[in-house]
Amino acid sequence: MLPSHAARPTAPEPSAASADIRLIVTDMDGTLLDDTKRTPDGLWETLSRLRERGVLFSPASGRQYATLAREFAEVADGMVFIAENGTYVVRDGRELSSDPLAADVVTDIVAAVRRLAADGVDVGAVVCGKRSAYVERADAPFVAEVARYYVRHQVVEDLCAVDDDILKVAVFDFGAVEQTTAPALAPFAAAHQVVVSGEHWVDVMNATANKGAALRRLQRELGITPAQTMVFGDYLNDLEMLDAADWSFAMANAHPEVVRRARHLAPSNNDNGVLRTIARVLDL
């Protein structure tokens, strides 16, 4: 059973009889991937069966497009990638939409992160461009964290001098990001999105940029309704995306606010919750 969350009005039990799913969108870390960052058993078979049914599967992540494209290289043809928390949407190598930051905003965010580091916070900025991600901090532990999500990354002398379209600035804090770094970046929230995307990550983007906005644009382009859309998420950067789908699922391991916002609850990422739910609802 996949119970609807008790904090919301009771929703119908998900079942094949009531589902006309045309689009499935899932977050990656903490959602599709388990805690060791592995793809679930049965993923490629499930994607093949979805393709046979004409159901489009779309990863939606804070990860960069190059990282997502590498992860799904064997099945990428026709797949839509919602990358960089919705600021960059690509299909078959063609940009469908993007929402870059202004250069002066990037400079201001980088300066704020530099001040945090000067005050002793173990933190670093990742300036996320269309072509690559860029960092100033070059120590091995930090670069290793960056490399998990940004397969294309470069160490540069000055993040404010990068020549690229900058989609967002991601900030990694080796401590608890909600306690230190997120509050320090809160002043940017007056005009921009400041979103905690994980225990150690916070992202700053344009106010118009989020996974939900990207998903709604995609739905309009494809002629797919929220009632035909299934979405899975676990963290705060997934909230707007959940709002764009009638079939919205929070993982059992999700942030409490995500559980409150979703219509249904799926098993955890470590229990193959995404694929189990897809199989249940679509009767695969």
Side-chain angles (χ1 to χ4, degrees):
M1 294 277 292
L2 295 172
S4 301
H5 190 258
R8 298 183 62 106
T10 302
E13 175 67 17
S15 67
S18 59
D20 175 25
I21 305 300
R22 309 291 177 85
L23 174 63
I24 297 175
V25 183
T26 180
D27 174 55
M28 294 288 288
D29 298 280
T31 302
L32 181 65
L33 306 182
D34 67 16
D35 286 349
T36 66
K37 308 298 182 184
R38 292 184 302 183
T39 55
D41 293 338
L43 175 61
W44 310 122
E45 179 184 358
T46 297
L47 295 186
S48 176
R49 297 183 71 180
L50 291 175
R51 191 179 293 255
E52 290 172 359
R53 289 196 181 189
V55 179
L56 180 63
F57 181 90
S58 178
S61 176
R63 295 178 178 222
Q64 71 180 169
Y65 165 62
T67 304
L68 295 174
R70 183 183 69 171
E71 189 79 43
F72 292 91
E74 296 180 10
V75 293
D77 289 350
M79 184 176 287
V80 176
F81 295 96
I82 300 175
E84 305 282 13
N85 276 334
T87 61
Y88 195 40
V89 181
V90 180
R91 187 176 198 180
D92 293 330
R94 180 176 68 89
E95 178 182 317
L96 299 184
S97 65
S98 63
D99 198 348
L101 284 165
D104 61 329
V105 175
V106 175
T107 298
D108 290 344
I109 300 167
V110 169
V113 177
R114 287 171 176 167
R115 288 193 296 270
L116 278 171
D119 289 340
V121 180
D122 196 359
V123 68
V126 185
V127 170
C128 305
K130 289 183 180 180
R131 296 192 300 272
S132 178
Y134 308 89
V135 298
E136 291 175 339
R137 184 170 168 174
D139 59 289
F142 178 75
V143 174
E145 294 294 338
V146 172
R148 286 188 181 189
Y149 309 100
Y150 302 93
V151 63
R152 291 183 186 170
H153 60 274
Q154 302 177 33
V155 178
V156 298
E157 290 188 7
D158 183 3
L159 285 175
C160 300
V162 167
D163 182 18
D164 199 347
D165 290 330
I166 305 307
L167 301 162
K168 74 176 195 289
V169 179
V171 184
F172 182 82
D173 185 337
F174 280 94
V177 74
E178 287 190 85
Q179 295 179 12
T180 305
T181 299
L185 297 175
F188 291 99
H192 297 83
Q193 292 269 356
V194 180
V195 182
V196 175
S197 56
E199 183 180 358
H200 300 285
W201 288 95
V202 60
D203 296 335
V204 185
M205 307 168 292
N206 281 331
T208 51
N210 57 66
K211 292 182 185 180
L215 174 54
R216 291 183 189 279
R217 285 193 295 268
L218 180 62
Q219 288 168 327
R220 289 194 296 269
E221 180 167 325
L222 299 178
I224 293 173
T225 68
Q228 296 169 320
T229 305
M230 179 183 292
V231 166
F232 298 88
D234 78 302
Y235 226 81
L236 300 176
N237 58 330
D238 298 321
L239 290 174
E240 294 87 357
M241 184 171 70
L242 295 171
D243 294 341
D246 287 6
W247 296 82
S248 60
F249 290 84
M251 311 308 291
N253 54 286
H255 189 287
E257 181 58 29
V258 175
V259 176
R260 283 192 290 270
R261 193 89 149 241
R263 292 173 180 265
H264 303 283
L265 191 67
S268 80
N269 64 318
N270 290 322
D271 292 327
N272 203 357
V274 171
L275 298 193
R276 287 173 60 188
T277 301
I278 292 172
R280 163 77 172 85
V281 176
L282 275 68
D283 195 24
L284 294 183

